[in-house]
Amino acid sequence: MDLITKLDPARFPGMSPMMAAVVGYVLGEDFTDPQIAEIKVSEAENLAYFRKAGAVAFDGLQSLVDLRGNWNQLIDVAGLTPEERKEAVRLFVAKVGVLPGTEV
Protein backbone atom coordinates (compact mmCIF):
# COMPACT_ATOMS: atom_id res chain seq x y z
CA MET A 1 0.00 0.00 0.00
CA ASP A 2 1.22 3.50 -0.74
CA LEU A 3 0.81 6.66 1.35
CA ILE A 4 -2.33 7.83 -0.47
CA THR A 5 -3.99 4.44 0.01
CA LYS A 6 -3.03 4.27 3.69
CA LEU A 7 -4.39 7.77 4.41
CA ASP A 8 -7.50 7.44 2.22
CA PRO A 9 -10.49 8.66 4.29
CA ALA A 10 -12.50 5.64 3.08
CA ARG A 11 -10.34 3.51 5.42
CA PHE A 12 -11.52 5.57 8.43
CA PRO A 13 -15.34 5.56 8.69
CA GLY A 14 -15.31 7.88 11.72
CA MET A 15 -13.35 10.62 9.92
CA SER A 16 -15.20 13.92 9.61
CA PRO A 17 -15.84 15.39 6.15
CA MET A 18 -13.60 18.35 7.10
CA MET A 19 -10.69 16.06 7.97
CA ALA A 20 -11.26 14.08 4.77
CA ALA A 21 -10.99 17.36 2.86
CA VAL A 22 -7.77 18.21 4.72
CA VAL A 23 -6.30 14.82 3.83
CA GLY A 24 -7.26 15.34 0.19
CA TYR A 25 -5.72 18.80 0.18
CA VAL A 26 -2.45 17.66 1.74
CA LEU A 27 -2.16 14.65 -0.58
CA GLY A 28 -3.40 16.44 -3.71
CA GLU A 29 -6.37 14.07 -4.03
CA ASP A 30 -10.08 14.75 -4.57
CA PHE A 31 -11.62 12.86 -1.64
CA THR A 32 -14.43 15.40 -1.06
CA ASP A 33 -16.63 17.84 -2.92
CA PRO A 34 -15.94 20.66 -2.50
CA GLN A 35 -12.23 20.32 -2.06
CA ILE A 36 -10.05 22.61 -0.01
CA ALA A 37 -8.06 24.99 -2.23
CA GLU A 38 -5.90 26.53 0.49
CA ILE A 39 -5.08 26.24 4.19
CA LYS A 40 -3.20 28.99 5.99
CA VAL A 41 -2.41 29.10 9.68
CA SER A 42 -2.03 31.93 12.15
CA GLU A 43 0.16 30.68 14.95
CA ALA A 44 -0.37 33.98 16.80
CA GLU A 45 -4.14 33.33 16.86
CA ASN A 46 -3.79 29.53 17.02
CA LEU A 47 -6.18 29.19 14.05
CA ALA A 48 -6.22 27.46 10.68
CA TYR A 49 -8.10 29.20 7.85
CA PHE A 50 -9.66 27.21 4.99
CA ARG A 51 -10.60 28.32 1.48
CA LYS A 52 -12.78 25.96 -0.53
CA ALA A 53 -12.18 25.39 -4.23
CA GLY A 54 -13.93 28.12 -6.19
CA ALA A 55 -14.11 30.55 -3.25
CA VAL A 56 -12.23 33.84 -3.34
CA ALA A 57 -11.89 34.26 0.42
CA PHE A 58 -11.24 32.06 3.42
CA ASP A 59 -14.58 30.71 4.57
CA GLY A 60 -13.78 28.32 7.40
CA LEU A 61 -11.57 28.10 10.43
CA GLN A 62 -10.46 25.57 12.99
CA SER A 63 -8.16 25.38 15.96
CA LEU A 64 -4.58 24.94 14.80
CA VAL A 65 -3.95 22.61 17.76
CA ASP A 66 -6.90 20.44 16.67
CA LEU A 67 -5.77 20.40 13.04
CA ARG A 68 -2.24 19.34 13.90
CA GLY A 69 -3.50 16.87 16.50
CA ASN A 70 -5.93 15.27 14.07
CA TRP A 71 -3.23 14.95 11.39
CA ASN A 72 -0.83 13.37 13.88
CA GLN A 73 -3.52 10.96 15.13
CA LEU A 74 -4.27 9.92 11.57
CA ILE A 75 -0.66 9.18 10.72
CA ASP A 76 -0.30 7.33 14.04
CA VAL A 77 -3.13 4.88 13.21
CA ALA A 78 -2.66 4.55 9.44
CA GLY A 79 0.09 1.93 9.64
CA LEU A 80 2.74 4.07 7.98
CA THR A 81 6.35 3.04 7.64
CA PRO A 82 8.90 5.47 9.14
CA GLU A 83 9.61 6.78 5.63
CA GLU A 84 5.89 7.26 4.87
CA ARG A 85 5.39 9.03 8.19
CA LYS A 86 8.24 11.40 7.38
CA GLU A 87 6.70 12.08 3.97
CA ALA A 88 3.24 12.68 5.48
CA VAL A 89 4.71 15.25 7.89
CA ARG A 90 6.69 16.88 5.06
CA LEU A 91 3.57 17.17 2.87
CA PHE A 92 1.52 18.65 5.72
CA VAL A 93 4.19 21.25 6.50
CA ALA A 94 4.61 22.08 2.80
CA LYS A 95 0.87 22.45 2.10
CA VAL A 96 -0.33 24.13 5.30
CA GLY A 97 1.37 27.52 5.11
CA VAL A 98 1.66 30.34 7.60
CA LEU A 99 -0.55 33.35 6.97
CA PRO A 100 1.87 36.26 6.36
CA GLY A 101 2.16 38.65 9.29
CA THR A 102 0.96 36.11 11.87
CA GLU A 103 4.23 34.36 12.63
CA VAL A 104 5.02 33.81 16.29
Side-chain angles (χ1 to χ4, degrees):
M1 256 193 280
D2 66 355
L3 184 62
I4 292 170
T5 303
K6 287 182 178 179
L7 295 178
D8 187 332
R11 291 188 62 221
F12 306 94
M15 183 181 290
S16 72
M18 172 59 91
M19 189 60 194
V22 169
V23 173
Y25 172 73
V26 170
L27 298 178
E29 297 291 318
D30 295 335
F31 293 131
T32 60
D33 184 22
Q35 293 87 32
I36 293 174
E38 185 176 13
I39 301 174
K40 293 291 185 188
V41 299
S42 168
E43 292 182 348
E45 298 171 307
N46 199 30
L47 292 173
Y49 295 89
F50 299 87
R51 184 174 61 82
K52 294 178 192 163
V56 293
F58 290 99
D59 55 356
L61 60 99
Q62 179 180 5
S63 158
L64 179 55
V65 171
D66 289 349
L67 177 64
R68 287 179 174 156
N70 289 340
W71 183 257
N72 288 330
Q73 283 180 329
L74 175 62
I75 64 176
D76 284 346
V77 301
L80 304 183
T81 65
E83 295 80 23
E84 289 169 334
R85 183 178 178 85
K86 188 174 182 178
E87 178 65 3
V89 170
R90 186 195 69 75
L91 287 170
F92 184 86
V93 170
K95 294 286 286 202
V96 179
V98 175
L99 197 59
T102 65
E103 300 87 353
V104 177

XYZ file of all heavy atoms in Angstrom:
792
model
N 0.841 -1.193 0.000
C 0.000 0.000 0.000
C 0.881 1.251 0.000
O 1.879 1.295 0.689
C -0.858 0.027 1.265
C -2.287 -0.343 1.048
S -3.353 0.046 2.445
C -3.024 -1.305 3.526
N 0.469 2.250 -0.732
C 1.219 3.499 -0.744
C 0.609 4.493 0.253
O -0.414 4.219 0.884
C 1.286 4.079 -2.149
C -0.068 4.517 -2.695
O -1.094 4.298 -2.023
O -0.100 5.086 -3.790
N 1.238 5.647 0.391
C 0.814 6.661 1.354
C -0.626 7.131 1.101
O -1.416 7.238 2.042
C 1.777 7.857 1.303
C 1.544 8.966 2.306
C 1.703 8.439 3.731
C 2.501 10.116 2.059
N -0.978 7.365 -0.144
C -2.332 7.826 -0.465
C -3.360 6.770 -0.070
O -4.391 7.083 0.521
C -2.449 8.209 -1.961
C -1.611 9.467 -2.235
C -3.905 8.422 -2.367
C -1.453 9.818 -3.688
N -3.071 5.525 -0.350
C -3.991 4.443 0.006
C -4.120 4.317 1.518
O -5.217 4.150 2.046
C -3.508 3.110 -0.601
O -3.393 3.270 -2.022
C -4.464 1.980 -0.283
N -3.003 4.418 2.227
C -3.030 4.273 3.685
C -3.768 5.416 4.380
O -4.356 5.224 5.429
C -1.610 4.157 4.240
C -0.963 2.823 3.949
C 0.420 2.741 4.549
C 1.054 1.386 4.295
N 2.420 1.321 4.876
N -3.731 6.618 3.793
C -4.390 7.771 4.408
C -5.767 8.060 3.809
O -6.430 9.007 4.230
C -3.506 9.016 4.288
C -2.178 8.955 5.045
C -1.363 10.232 4.810
C -2.381 8.722 6.528
N -6.205 7.244 2.870
C -7.504 7.437 2.218
C -8.614 7.476 3.276
O -8.754 6.542 4.075
C -7.758 6.296 1.246
C -9.003 6.482 0.400
O -9.966 7.151 0.844
O -9.013 5.952 -0.721
N -9.410 8.553 3.303
C -10.489 8.658 4.288
C -11.470 7.484 4.273
O -12.098 7.192 5.294
C -11.192 9.969 3.904
C -10.122 10.776 3.249
C -9.292 9.772 2.493
N -11.599 6.791 3.157
C -12.499 5.641 3.079
C -12.082 4.536 4.058
O -12.912 3.728 4.461
C -12.537 5.100 1.655
N -10.826 4.507 4.455
C -10.344 3.515 5.424
C -10.744 3.858 6.856
O -10.593 3.032 7.745
C -8.810 3.421 5.370
C -8.262 2.817 4.100
C -6.757 2.575 4.193
N -6.464 1.628 5.273
C -5.441 1.753 6.115
N -4.608 2.769 6.021
N -5.237 0.857 7.059
N -11.239 5.087 7.077
C -11.520 5.569 8.430
C -12.968 6.071 8.490
O -13.221 7.268 8.329
C -10.540 6.689 8.802
C -9.104 6.279 8.628
C -8.417 6.560 7.454
C -8.448 5.573 9.627
C -7.095 6.169 7.285
C -7.125 5.171 9.465
C -6.448 5.462 8.295
N -13.927 5.181 8.744
C -15.342 5.557 8.692
C -15.735 6.649 9.683
O -16.711 7.356 9.450
C -16.086 4.254 8.978
C -15.079 3.238 9.333
C -13.729 3.770 9.034
N -14.979 6.843 10.749
C -15.310 7.884 11.720
C -14.732 9.246 11.386
O -14.954 10.217 12.111
N -13.993 9.349 10.284
C -13.352 10.617 9.921
C -14.401 11.636 9.487
O -15.303 11.330 8.711
C -12.342 10.402 8.788
C -11.578 11.661 8.409
S -10.418 11.402 7.044
C -9.181 10.372 7.821
N -14.266 12.863 9.984
C -15.197 13.924 9.611
C -14.974 14.337 8.152
O -13.873 14.188 7.614
C -15.001 15.145 10.508
O -13.789 15.806 10.179
N -16.012 14.881 7.511
C -15.840 15.388 6.149
C -14.752 16.468 6.064
O -14.017 16.531 5.080
C -17.214 15.955 5.798
C -18.165 15.198 6.669
C -17.414 14.940 7.947
N -14.640 17.304 7.102
C -13.599 18.350 7.099
C -12.206 17.719 7.087
O -11.331 18.126 6.328
C -13.763 19.271 8.304
C -12.620 20.258 8.472
S -12.359 21.356 7.070
C -13.378 22.700 7.564
N -11.992 16.702 7.931
C -10.685 16.060 7.972
C -10.407 15.326 6.656
O -9.281 15.336 6.173
C -10.589 15.112 9.170
C -9.191 14.586 9.401
S -8.018 15.935 9.725
C -6.465 15.073 9.537
N -11.442 14.729 6.067
C -11.262 14.075 4.765
C -10.823 15.095 3.717
O -9.961 14.811 2.879
C -12.556 13.383 4.342
N -11.386 16.293 3.784
C -10.995 17.357 2.861
C -9.555 17.792 3.112
O -8.801 18.066 2.170
C -11.945 18.539 2.975
N -9.153 17.855 4.382
C -7.771 18.210 4.725
C -6.816 17.161 4.163
O -5.790 17.495 3.555
C -7.592 18.356 6.257
C -6.120 18.446 6.634
C -8.356 19.566 6.774
N -7.147 15.899 4.344
C -6.298 14.817 3.827
C -6.177 14.940 2.308
O -5.079 14.850 1.749
C -6.855 13.432 4.238
C -6.079 12.309 3.547
C -6.805 13.269 5.752
N -7.293 15.169 1.636
C -7.260 15.343 0.191
C -6.392 16.515 -0.230
O -5.612 16.415 -1.180
N -6.518 17.619 0.484
C -5.718 18.805 0.176
C -4.230 18.516 0.344
O -3.424 18.815 -0.542
C -6.144 19.964 1.078
C -5.251 21.171 0.970
C -5.278 21.993 -0.151
C -4.353 21.480 1.988
C -4.444 23.094 -0.253
C -3.518 22.581 1.893
C -3.564 23.383 0.770
O -2.725 24.472 0.677
N -3.859 17.926 1.470
C -2.445 17.660 1.743
C -1.865 16.679 0.727
O -0.737 16.850 0.261
C -2.252 17.150 3.190
C -0.829 16.636 3.415
C -2.585 18.250 4.194
N -2.644 15.673 0.345
C -2.156 14.645 -0.576
C -2.372 14.993 -2.046
O -1.903 14.279 -2.924
C -2.826 13.308 -0.272
C -2.560 12.720 1.116
C -3.327 11.417 1.281
C -1.068 12.518 1.351
N -3.116 16.085 -2.317
C -3.403 16.442 -3.707
C -4.409 15.510 -4.357
O -4.371 15.282 -5.564
N -5.345 14.992 -3.553
C -6.373 14.071 -4.026
C -7.756 14.694 -3.847
O -7.950 15.536 -2.977
C -6.307 12.749 -3.238
C -5.019 11.987 -3.426
C -4.873 11.409 -4.828
O -5.871 10.886 -5.373
O -3.765 11.489 -5.381
N -8.707 14.250 -4.644
C -10.085 14.746 -4.570
C -10.957 13.764 -3.797
O -11.735 13.014 -4.380
C -10.664 14.962 -5.975
C -9.937 16.044 -6.744
O -9.349 16.928 -6.103
O -9.965 16.001 -7.978
N -10.825 13.761 -2.471
C -11.617 12.859 -1.641
C -12.988 13.439 -1.306
O -13.874 12.704 -0.887
C -10.890 12.539 -0.331
C -9.636 11.721 -0.504
C -8.458 12.123 0.105
C -9.635 10.553 -1.241
C -7.298 11.371 -0.032
C -8.477 9.791 -1.386
C -7.307 10.209 -0.777
N -13.179 14.752 -1.437
C -14.434 15.396 -1.062
C -14.874 16.383 -2.142
O -14.087 16.775 -3.000
C -14.278 16.178 0.264
O -13.274 17.179 0.098
C -13.903 15.267 1.415
N -16.117 16.787 -2.045
C -16.634 17.836 -2.916
C -17.477 18.765 -2.045
O -18.492 18.315 -1.510
C -17.480 17.239 -4.037
C -17.957 18.295 -5.027
O -17.323 19.369 -5.105
O -18.970 18.058 -5.701
N -17.069 19.999 -1.862
C -15.936 20.657 -2.501
C -14.614 20.281 -1.838
O -14.584 19.793 -0.718
C -16.233 22.139 -2.291
C -16.982 22.187 -1.000
C -17.797 20.921 -0.972
N -13.573 20.526 -2.575
C -12.232 20.325 -2.058
C -11.741 21.599 -1.380
O -12.285 22.678 -1.604
C -11.242 19.964 -3.184
C -11.489 18.628 -3.821
C -12.492 18.724 -4.956
O -12.574 19.726 -5.637
N -13.270 17.684 -5.148
N -10.716 21.451 -0.585
C -10.045 22.611 -0.010
C -9.014 23.090 -1.021
O -8.243 22.299 -1.558
C -9.356 22.255 1.330
C -10.405 21.917 2.385
C -8.460 23.400 1.794
C -9.827 21.421 3.704
N -9.015 24.397 -1.291
C -8.062 24.985 -2.227
C -6.835 25.534 -1.504
O -5.757 25.626 -2.095
C -8.726 26.097 -3.024
N -7.011 25.897 -0.227
C -5.905 26.533 0.489
C -6.144 26.432 1.992
O -7.271 26.572 2.454
C -5.831 28.003 0.080
C -4.689 28.778 0.627
C -4.642 30.210 0.098
O -5.627 30.696 -0.506
O -3.607 30.854 0.313
N -5.063 26.179 2.722
C -5.083 26.238 4.186
C -3.920 27.127 4.607
O -2.788 26.908 4.186
C -4.915 24.858 4.850
C -6.014 23.898 4.422
C -4.897 25.002 6.375
C -5.836 22.463 4.939
N -4.228 28.117 5.408
C -3.201 28.991 5.990
C -3.400 28.997 7.497
O -4.527 28.909 7.981
C -3.306 30.427 5.464
C -2.990 30.571 4.001
C -1.530 30.340 3.726
C -1.203 30.597 2.265
N 0.138 30.206 1.919
N -2.312 29.098 8.224
C -2.413 29.099 9.684
C -1.880 30.394 10.262
O -0.966 31.013 9.719
C -1.672 27.897 10.316
C -2.271 26.582 9.848
C -0.189 27.935 10.031
N -2.495 30.799 11.354
C -2.033 31.927 12.148
C -1.624 31.373 13.505
O -2.472 31.060 14.331
C -3.135 32.969 12.320
O -2.754 33.915 13.306
N -0.324 31.208 13.675
C 0.160 30.680 14.949
C -0.109 31.661 16.076
O -0.361 31.263 17.204
C 1.634 30.321 14.849
C 1.862 29.136 13.924
C 3.311 28.705 13.828
O 4.195 29.437 14.283
O 3.544 27.617 13.282
N -0.108 32.964 15.769
C -0.373 33.981 16.799
C -1.795 33.846 17.337
O -2.047 34.053 18.520
C -0.153 35.383 16.229
N -2.741 33.492 16.459
C -4.139 33.334 16.860
C -4.500 31.881 17.169
O -5.589 31.596 17.637
C -5.070 33.814 15.737
C -4.923 35.271 15.409
C -5.706 35.625 14.168
O -5.541 34.970 13.117
O -6.506 36.564 14.259
N -3.575 30.951 16.841
C -3.790 29.525 17.024
C -4.979 29.033 16.191
O -5.789 28.235 16.650
C -3.981 29.176 18.502
C -3.749 27.700 18.758
O -2.970 27.056 18.071
N -4.437 27.163 19.738
N -5.075 29.542 14.939
C -6.184 29.194 14.052
C -5.674 28.734 12.689
O -4.624 29.183 12.222
C -7.114 30.388 13.842
C -7.913 30.857 15.046
C -8.648 32.152 14.710
C -8.882 29.782 15.515
N -6.453 27.862 12.060
C -6.219 27.461 10.680
C -7.392 27.984 9.858
O -8.549 27.816 10.240
C -6.135 25.947 10.574
N -7.095 28.640 8.745
C -8.105 29.201 7.855
C -8.194 28.348 6.589
O -7.168 27.979 6.019
C -7.737 30.638 7.470
C -7.746 31.585 8.637
C -6.611 31.784 9.401
C -8.902 32.273 8.989
C -6.616 32.651 10.489
C -8.921 33.140 10.064
C -7.767 33.324 10.812
O -7.785 34.178 11.882
N -9.421 28.058 6.146
C -9.662 27.213 4.990
C -10.355 28.002 3.889
O -11.266 28.772 4.161
C -10.570 26.036 5.370
C -9.981 25.141 6.414
C -10.155 25.405 7.762
C -9.239 24.036 6.052
C -9.605 24.587 8.739
C -8.690 23.206 7.019
C -8.872 23.477 8.360
N -9.914 27.776 2.646
C -10.601 28.321 1.480
C -10.992 27.151 0.593
O -10.139 26.357 0.188
C -9.703 29.283 0.710
C -10.415 29.947 -0.474
C -9.558 31.001 -1.150
N -8.330 30.472 -1.700
C -8.215 29.863 -2.887
N -9.281 29.663 -3.643
N -7.038 29.425 -3.303
N -12.280 27.031 0.326
C -12.778 25.956 -0.533
C -12.462 26.263 -1.987
O -12.347 27.425 -2.381
C -14.292 25.800 -0.375
C -14.724 25.321 0.979
C -16.238 25.259 1.042
C -16.699 25.070 2.461
N -18.106 25.401 2.631
N -12.374 25.224 -2.784
C -12.176 25.391 -4.226
C -13.302 26.241 -4.786
O -14.469 26.044 -4.451
C -12.144 24.027 -4.904
N -12.953 27.232 -5.587
C -13.934 28.122 -6.191
C -14.253 29.356 -5.369
O -14.866 30.287 -5.871
N -13.849 29.376 -4.103
C -14.109 30.546 -3.253
C -12.961 31.538 -3.397
O -11.826 31.155 -3.642
C -14.258 30.128 -1.790
N -13.275 32.816 -3.223
C -12.233 33.837 -3.338
C -11.660 34.228 -1.982
O -10.610 34.847 -1.918
C -12.754 35.100 -4.066
C -13.061 34.779 -5.512
C -13.951 35.692 -3.367
N -12.355 33.882 -0.917
C -11.891 34.256 0.418
C -11.908 33.017 1.318
O -12.531 32.008 1.006
C -12.806 35.329 1.017
N -11.208 33.131 2.431
C -11.238 32.060 3.423
C -12.638 32.018 4.024
O -13.205 33.044 4.381
C -10.187 32.300 4.508
C -8.789 32.127 4.001
C -8.026 33.225 3.650
C -8.238 30.867 3.872
C -6.730 33.064 3.170
C -6.948 30.692 3.386
C -6.190 31.792 3.034
N -13.206 30.823 4.106
C -14.579 30.705 4.574
C -14.767 29.663 5.668
O -15.874 29.241 5.948
C -15.528 30.422 3.406
C -15.121 29.203 2.596
O -14.063 28.603 2.867
O -15.862 28.842 1.673
N -13.695 29.261 6.295
C -13.780 28.320 7.399
C -12.569 28.461 8.286
O -11.531 28.950 7.854
N -12.726 28.082 9.534
C -11.572 28.103 10.431
C -11.691 27.003 11.453
O -12.761 26.463 11.696
C -11.394 29.460 11.103
C -12.500 30.016 11.967
C -12.219 29.762 13.427
C -12.581 31.513 11.735
N -10.549 26.645 12.014
C -10.457 25.567 12.988
C -9.268 25.859 13.883
O -8.331 26.561 13.495
C -10.259 24.231 12.261
C -10.124 23.035 13.176
C -9.940 21.731 12.397
O -9.818 21.712 11.185
N -9.904 20.639 13.116
N -9.289 25.287 15.048
C -8.156 25.384 15.963
C -6.928 24.751 15.311
O -6.990 23.631 14.792
C -8.487 24.653 17.268
O -7.311 24.293 17.954
N -5.826 25.461 15.335
C -4.577 24.940 14.796
C -4.123 23.723 15.599
O -3.640 22.743 15.034
C -3.507 26.029 14.807
C -2.124 25.669 14.298
C -2.200 25.101 12.891
C -1.218 26.892 14.349
N -4.312 23.753 16.905
C -3.949 22.609 17.756
C -4.749 21.377 17.331
O -4.201 20.278 17.204
C -4.182 22.936 19.249
C -4.032 21.706 20.117
C -3.227 24.028 19.702
N -6.058 21.565 17.096
C -6.895 20.443 16.668
C -6.463 19.919 15.306
O -6.401 18.698 15.095
C -8.369 20.849 16.610
C -8.986 21.048 17.981
O -8.353 20.670 18.993
O -10.105 21.597 18.041
N -6.181 20.821 14.375
C -5.770 20.401 13.036
C -4.496 19.573 13.101
O -4.418 18.484 12.536
C -5.576 21.618 12.123
C -5.083 21.318 10.715
C -6.096 20.488 9.946
C -4.769 22.611 9.974
N -3.497 20.084 13.781
C -2.236 19.338 13.905
C -2.429 18.034 14.668
O -1.870 17.003 14.308
C -1.183 20.204 14.594
C -0.657 21.311 13.706
C 0.357 22.166 14.418
N 0.951 23.132 13.516
C 1.493 24.264 13.903
N 1.521 24.597 15.187
N 2.022 25.093 13.024
N -3.232 18.079 15.726
C -3.496 16.870 16.504
C -4.207 15.806 15.684
O -3.856 14.622 15.742
N -5.194 16.224 14.903
C -5.926 15.272 14.066
C -5.025 14.664 12.998
O -5.114 13.464 12.712
C -7.139 15.945 13.413
C -8.232 16.245 14.407
O -8.290 15.661 15.481
N -9.099 17.179 14.053
N -4.166 15.476 12.396
C -3.235 14.948 11.391
C -2.293 13.940 12.042
O -2.071 12.854 11.503
C -2.445 16.085 10.729
C -1.553 15.576 9.652
C -0.210 15.386 9.713
C -1.938 15.161 8.340
N 0.260 14.876 8.535
C -0.785 14.732 7.671
C -3.158 15.112 7.677
C -0.802 14.253 6.363
C -3.174 14.631 6.370
C -2.014 14.209 5.724
N -1.749 14.280 13.199
C -0.830 13.367 13.879
C -1.525 12.082 14.308
O -0.934 10.997 14.206
C -0.168 14.056 15.074
C 0.849 15.085 14.634
O 1.471 14.961 13.587
N 1.002 16.132 15.420
N -2.769 12.165 14.774
C -3.519 10.957 15.130
C -3.723 10.071 13.911
O -3.583 8.848 13.988
C -4.872 11.309 15.736
C -4.790 11.772 17.166
C -6.167 12.107 17.727
O -7.071 12.546 17.008
N -6.329 11.906 19.012
N -4.063 10.689 12.789
C -4.270 9.922 11.567
C -3.002 9.179 11.173
O -3.047 7.976 10.902
C -4.728 10.833 10.426
C -4.855 10.166 9.052
C -5.903 9.056 9.086
C -5.175 11.200 7.989
N -1.886 9.872 11.155
C -0.664 9.185 10.717
C -0.181 8.179 11.765
O 0.534 7.245 11.418
C 0.438 10.167 10.258
C 0.935 11.062 11.374
C -0.040 11.000 9.082
C 2.096 11.972 10.968
N -0.620 8.321 13.006
C -0.298 7.328 14.037
C -1.042 6.013 13.800
O -0.505 4.945 14.071
C -0.640 7.838 15.443
C 0.354 8.852 15.976
O 1.446 8.988 15.403
O 0.015 9.524 16.975
N -2.300 6.087 13.344
C -3.130 4.881 13.215
C -3.156 4.303 11.799
O -3.728 3.230 11.596
C -4.575 5.127 13.698
C -4.592 5.560 15.142
C -5.306 6.113 12.807
N -2.542 4.969 10.847
C -2.658 4.555 9.444
C -1.712 3.425 9.059
O -1.791 2.923 7.943
C -2.431 5.754 8.522
N -0.834 3.014 9.958
C 0.090 1.929 9.636
C 1.204 2.340 8.695
O 1.631 1.555 7.849
N 1.685 3.563 8.849
C 2.744 4.072 7.975
C 4.103 3.521 8.369
O 4.381 3.307 9.542
C 2.791 5.600 8.035
C 1.513 6.366 7.703
C 1.780 7.862 7.754
C 0.954 5.968 6.360
N 4.950 3.350 7.371
C 6.353 3.038 7.636
C 7.026 4.324 8.134
O 6.470 5.423 7.950
C 7.063 2.567 6.353
O 7.099 3.663 5.429
C 6.377 1.355 5.732
N 8.209 4.234 8.723
C 8.896 5.466 9.137
C 9.110 6.441 7.974
O 8.972 7.645 8.140
C 10.228 4.961 9.702
C 9.916 3.576 10.198
C 8.911 3.034 9.199
N 9.404 5.922 6.797
C 9.608 6.784 5.627
C 8.299 7.450 5.211
O 8.281 8.629 4.864
C 10.187 5.977 4.457
C 11.575 5.435 4.694
C 11.581 4.146 5.543
O 10.551 3.431 5.600
O 12.620 3.880 6.164
N 7.196 6.690 5.221
C 5.893 7.255 4.867
C 5.466 8.309 5.885
O 4.899 9.335 5.516
C 4.837 6.151 4.792
C 5.010 5.239 3.600
C 4.136 3.995 3.687
O 3.772 3.571 4.806
O 3.831 3.438 2.615
N 5.733 8.048 7.151
C 5.389 9.026 8.195
C 6.159 10.331 7.964
O 5.586 11.417 8.029
C 5.691 8.459 9.580
C 5.281 9.387 10.682
C 5.552 8.773 12.066
N 5.196 9.713 13.083
C 3.967 9.877 13.577
N 2.971 9.138 13.140
N 3.738 10.778 14.498
N 7.427 10.214 7.661
C 8.245 11.397 7.381
C 7.693 12.164 6.183
O 7.609 13.389 6.196
C 9.697 10.964 7.130
C 10.671 12.091 7.012
C 12.093 11.549 6.906
C 13.086 12.673 6.838
N 14.472 12.192 6.794
N 7.272 11.447 5.156
C 6.700 12.077 3.969
C 5.356 12.735 4.282
O 5.065 13.834 3.800
C 6.543 11.051 2.840
C 5.915 11.591 1.579
C 6.747 12.648 0.848
O 7.873 12.969 1.269
O 6.243 13.172 -0.151
N 4.526 12.099 5.101
C 3.235 12.676 5.485
C 3.432 13.984 6.251
O 2.712 14.957 6.024
C 2.433 11.681 6.320
N 4.407 14.018 7.138
C 4.708 15.248 7.886
C 5.235 16.314 6.930
O 4.830 17.469 6.980
C 5.706 14.963 9.029
C 6.220 16.257 9.642
C 5.061 14.075 10.085
N 6.125 15.925 6.018
C 6.687 16.882 5.056
C 5.582 17.492 4.191
O 5.549 18.712 3.984
C 7.722 16.191 4.161
C 8.451 17.172 3.222
C 9.190 16.459 2.110
N 8.300 15.835 1.144
C 7.609 16.489 0.207
N 7.670 17.799 0.103
N 6.835 15.830 -0.646
N 4.671 16.673 3.707
C 3.568 17.170 2.874
C 2.678 18.129 3.656
O 2.280 19.170 3.134
C 2.736 16.000 2.338
C 3.381 15.167 1.244
C 2.559 13.905 0.987
C 3.547 15.978 -0.028
N 2.364 17.784 4.900
C 1.524 18.650 5.721
C 2.194 20.013 5.910
O 1.571 21.055 5.700
C 1.247 17.987 7.074
C 0.306 18.758 7.946
C -1.065 18.593 7.831
C 0.782 19.653 8.891
C -1.950 19.301 8.634
C -0.089 20.369 9.703
C -1.449 20.196 9.572
N 3.457 20.000 6.267
C 4.186 21.253 6.500
C 4.277 22.065 5.204
O 4.130 23.289 5.222
C 5.588 20.964 7.088
C 6.457 22.205 7.104
C 5.458 20.374 8.496
N 4.487 21.389 4.085
C 4.606 22.079 2.796
C 3.276 22.682 2.348
O 3.253 23.769 1.763
C 5.131 21.117 1.731
N 2.169 22.002 2.601
C 0.867 22.450 2.098
C 0.129 23.400 3.033
O -0.691 24.187 2.585
C -0.030 21.236 1.823
C 0.447 20.345 0.700
C 0.230 20.952 -0.653
C -1.219 20.902 -1.020
N -1.554 20.985 -2.392
N 0.381 23.309 4.322
C -0.330 24.132 5.300
C 0.603 25.286 5.677
O 1.439 25.158 6.554
C -0.756 23.297 6.529
C -1.475 24.162 7.545
C -1.646 22.144 6.099
N 0.458 26.396 4.959
C 1.366 27.517 5.111
C 0.955 28.512 6.174
O -0.204 28.567 6.587
N 1.908 29.298 6.609
C 1.655 30.342 7.603
C 1.098 31.575 6.908
O 1.595 32.002 5.859
C 2.962 30.689 8.359
C 2.739 31.856 9.300
C 3.476 29.477 9.122
N 0.043 32.123 7.466
C -0.553 33.352 6.971
C 0.438 34.492 7.216
O 0.843 34.714 8.355
C -1.873 33.605 7.709
C -2.850 34.592 7.124
C -3.289 34.197 5.731
C -4.077 34.693 8.031
N 0.883 35.194 6.181
C 1.872 36.260 6.362
C 1.444 37.270 7.429
O 0.279 37.659 7.504
C 1.957 36.912 4.973
C 1.505 35.853 4.030
C 0.460 35.062 4.790
N 2.403 37.653 8.253
C 2.162 38.646 9.291
C 1.644 38.060 10.585
O 1.381 38.794 11.532
N 1.492 36.730 10.642
C 0.964 36.109 11.865
C 1.976 35.155 12.506
O 1.612 34.367 13.361
C -0.335 35.330 11.579
O -0.052 34.232 10.723
C -1.391 36.225 10.966
N 3.204 35.234 12.072
C 4.229 34.364 12.634
C 4.439 34.660 14.108
O 4.272 35.793 14.540
C 5.567 34.546 11.900
C 5.502 34.230 10.407
C 5.074 35.409 9.545
O 4.679 36.468 10.074
O 5.137 35.276 8.316
N 4.764 33.634 14.863
C 5.016 33.811 16.293
C 6.494 34.046 16.493
O 7.330 33.485 15.865
C 4.574 32.573 17.098
C 4.912 32.732 18.560
C 3.103 32.355 16.917
